[in-house]
């Protein structure tokens, strides 16, 4: 099973021809509310792709919270460890332009009130094959999850987003780090992904740097780096491409598939997601991904 300790947000998405500059007003084409949040996105991606997934985190006591929980459940994610706490759910205010590029403001809401593990979380993490972590919960909660996983010998996969300096203890408890190229540069000060990967391998045993339409770069201690191309597709909305990639990777690795095959399959799943609008709404099913992977 896959445990996810992370955020749940309602994405408030404005589709605009071109994102406004500060002080500018533009007329957009469309507005949608779509369940998102990096944690929930990774959970849904993995569950749609056939993973058995438990989500640990919190939603607010508002309408968004009800919808966010329902969306997770509808994709087959176990939500018993998703708390409902006082106040607003997390929200992400997203602008997507005609090129498919996005800019995002995240307001943590309920996610900000997850400061550690609750009774039962430790055994949920201990029962999993891997724990997926991101940085949209307070760092103390992420650390508590990573510690619990370590104590149980459970593999930890950390998406270091949004980018921020990582405490040594968190890096030490991370098995696989999956930054995008911007996060890798922020962590290392190196813009060349190969050099950034090399630097990150001093901190963690395995790294995947995602490179958008250019694919991804896998590096592990004592192995030659591996570049995985992304399928050439027409991107309409790249929101959650990275989360789809990580969810898919966790499923494939959990099934015991070799890393190169797992990475290729994750790229196929992520490429399917960028061809449709939204975060969770864009994520492919197992059948779609297996079919596209054969094509
Ligand atoms: P994030 O969404 O975290 O910024 P990336 O943009 O690097 O991450 O995307 C993650 C993965 O999704 C990439 O490694 C790639 O496999 C896939 N992907 C992203 N954008 C595209 C695209 N335009 N075409 C095909 N695949 C893409």
């Amino acid at each position: 099973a896959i445990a996810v300790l992370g955020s749940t947000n309602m994405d408030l998405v404005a589709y605009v021809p071109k994102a406004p500059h500060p002080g500018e007003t533009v007329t957009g084409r469309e507005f949608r509310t779509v369940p998102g949040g990096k944690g929930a996105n990774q959970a849904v991606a993995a569950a749609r792709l056939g993973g058995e997934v438990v989500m640990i985190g919190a939603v607010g006591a508002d309408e968004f919270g009800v919808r966010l929980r329902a969306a997770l459940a509808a994709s087959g994610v176990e939500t018993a460890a998703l708390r409902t706490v006082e106040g607003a759910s997390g929200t992400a205010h997203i602008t997507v332009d005609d090129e498919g590029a996005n800019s995002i403001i995240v307001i943590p809401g309920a996610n900000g009130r997850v400061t550690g593990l609750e009774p039962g979380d430790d055994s949920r993490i201990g029962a999993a094959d891997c724990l997926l972590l991101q940085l949209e919960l307070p760092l103390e909660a992420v650390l508590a999850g990573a510690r619990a996983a370590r104590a149980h010998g459970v593999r930890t996969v950390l998406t270091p987003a949004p980018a921020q300096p990582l405490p040594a203890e968190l890096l030490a408890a991370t098995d696989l780090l999956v930054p995008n190229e911007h996060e890798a540069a922020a962590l290392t000060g190196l813009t060349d992904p190969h050099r950034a990967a090399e630097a990150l391998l001093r901190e963690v045993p395995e790294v995947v740097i995602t490179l958008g339409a250019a694919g991804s770069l896998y590096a592990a201690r004592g192995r030659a780096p591996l570049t995985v191309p992304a399928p050439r597709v027409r991107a309409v909305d790249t929101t959650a491409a990275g989360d789809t990639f990580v969810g898919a990777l966790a499923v494939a690795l959990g099934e015991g598939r070799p890393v190169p095959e797992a990475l290729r399959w994750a790229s196929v799943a992520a490429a399917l997601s960028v061809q449709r609008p939204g975060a969770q709404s864009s994520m492919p099913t197992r059948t779609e991904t297996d079919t596209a992977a054969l094509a």
Side-chain angles (χ1 to χ4, degrees), residues 120-204:
D121 291 348
D122 184 77
S123 54
R124 284 184 184 97
I125 292 170
D129 304 308
C130 81
L131 175 67
L132 305 185
L133 299 163
Q134 319 78 30
L135 301 176
E136 287 187 341
L137 295 184
L139 213 42
E140 26 188 333
V142 179
L143 264 168
R147 267 186 220 123
R150 257 302 135 99
H152 291 287
V154 171
R155 179 187 177 95
T156 54
V157 179
L158 173 64
T159 304
Q164 58 185 273
L166 298 178
E169 190 193 350
L170 182 56
L171 281 169
T174 298
D175 295 306
L176 172 61
L177 187 69
V178 192
N180 66 20
E181 53 195 319
H182 310 290
E183 291 142 12
L187 286 172
T188 61
L190 301 167
T191 49
D192 173 43
H194 279 91
R195 292 186 54 207
E198 213 173 279
L200 291 169
L201 282 187
R202 279 182 231 125
E203 317 284 346
V204 297

Side-chain angles (χ1 to χ4, degrees), residues 180 210-213 215-216 230-231 233 235 238 241-242 245 267 270-271 274:
N180 66 20
T210 64
L211 306 169
S216 56
V233 298
T238 60
F245 184 93
S267 308
V274 304

